[in-house]
């Protein structure tokens, strides 16, 4: 399959459970994407179109990340980063524990790959996780989160929890998987 991209786009193949996550492919506006199924299985792709210009410059993104109080690794593995976005693979088999508190500094969306259940934790004043709720997620569900002020309240110092500061762990018997995109 070939496609000409009018706007910057990302094609990300969804591997079968238990297989390594394929590298996402970024295509600039005006470029041509060629998708090919190289396996004997039916191929599935997640397709992101980046509809606007970046909200932040590279320097502003770095300032937001540097100002973070907690780790900003919002997934298991950062697979692609450029001037528009950061793409993360997030799966329970690569580690997902309630003690793995992370801070979101950028607007983001994630696509769930398979039915899932997660426990969501906020963080108390001493830095310990506090159970908030269990979240039921559906295959191919998309969740969008706007992160204002780099994850801080208007005072620029108080972290917004659990929206921007939280941890999760897997509450299901099957592996949790998602593709997460942070927009710069």
């Amino acid at each position: 399959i070939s496609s000409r991209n009018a706007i910057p786009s990302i094609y990300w193949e969804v591997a079968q459970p238990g297989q390594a996550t394929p590298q996402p492919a970024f295509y600039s506006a005006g470029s041509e994407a060629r998708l090919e199924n190289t396996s004997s299985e039916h191929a599935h792709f997640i397709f992101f179109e980046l509809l606007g210009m970046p909200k932040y410059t590279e320097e502003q993104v770095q300032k937001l990340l540097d100002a973070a109080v907690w780790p900003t690794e919002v997934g298991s593995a950062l697979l692609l980063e450029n001037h528009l976005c950061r793409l993360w693979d997030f799966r329970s088999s690569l580690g997902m524990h309630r003690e793995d508190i992370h801070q979101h500094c950028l607007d983001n969306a994630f696509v769930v790959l398979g039915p899932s259940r997660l426990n969501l934790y906020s963080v108390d004043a001493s830095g310990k996780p506090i159970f908030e709720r269990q979240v039921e997620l559906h295959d191919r569900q998309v969740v969008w989160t706007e992160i204002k002020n780099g994850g801080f309240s208007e005072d620029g110092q108080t972290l917004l929890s659990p929206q921007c500061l939280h941890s999760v762990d897997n509450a299901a018997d099957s592996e949790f998987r998602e593709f997460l995109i942070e927009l710069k």
Side-chain angles (χ1 to χ4, degrees):
I1 297 174
S2 287
S3 153
R4 181 152 302 278
N5 300 293
I7 57 177
S9 303
I10 296 154
Y11 294 80
W12 204 343
E13 185 176 1
V14 178
Q16 295 297 316
Q19 294 180 336
T21 301
Q23 186 70 24
F26 175 81
Y27 295 92
S28 300
S31 65
E32 187 172 323
R34 182 165 169 72
L35 303 179
E36 193 172 318
N37 184 3
T38 58
S39 77
S40 59
E41 301 290 327
H42 183 72
H44 294 278
F45 289 86
I46 301 296
F47 178 63
F48 293 104
E49 291 182 317
L50 305 177
L51 301 176
M53 296 302 295
K55 189 176 186 178
Y56 303 111
T57 65
E58 287 294 316
E59 294 78 24
Q60 290 170 321
V61 169
Q62 195 55 56
K63 275 187 177 180
L64 289 172
L65 295 175
D66 290 345
V69 178
W70 293 87
T72 57
E73 291 79 25
V74 297
S76 306
L78 179 62
L79 296 185
L80 185 144
E81 181 171 6
N82 62 24
H83 67 290
L84 299 173
C85 62
R86 294 166 27 125
L87 298 170
W88 295 88
D89 180 25
F90 195 26
R91 54 174 53 203
S92 58
S93 63
L94 298 177
M96 178 186 285
H97 308 284
R98 68 180 181 177
E99 294 82 18
D100 296 336
I101 297 163
H102 59 272
Q103 183 176 341
H104 291 272
C105 299
L106 301 169
D107 295 345
N108 63 81
F110 63 86
V111 180
V112 178
L113 306 173
S116 306
R117 225 174 25 258
L118 292 177
N119 294 320
L120 174 67
Y121 300 87
S122 62
V123 181
D124 71 15
S126 69
K128 302 267 191 248
I130 303 168
F131 178 80
E132 288 286 329
R133 67 185 177 276
Q134 194 168 87
V135 181
E136 196 83 28
L137 300 163
H138 307 284
D139 187 30
R140 298 189 185 139
Q141 181 176 346
V142 177
V143 177
W144 164 256
T145 306
E146 182 179 7
I147 305 295
K148 295 185 180 186
N149 240 9
F152 292 93
S153 63
E154 292 302 317
D155 67 14
Q157 295 182 8
T158 306
L159 291 167
L160 300 173
S161 179
Q163 179 190 12
C164 301
L165 179 67
H166 59 247
S167 63
V168 295
D169 64 17
N170 192 5
D173 294 331
S174 58
E175 178 180 40
F176 173 80
R177 301 187 317 156
E178 77 178 30
F179 289 165
L180 187 143
I181 181 170
E182 293 179 297
L183 300 176
K184 293 186 174 180

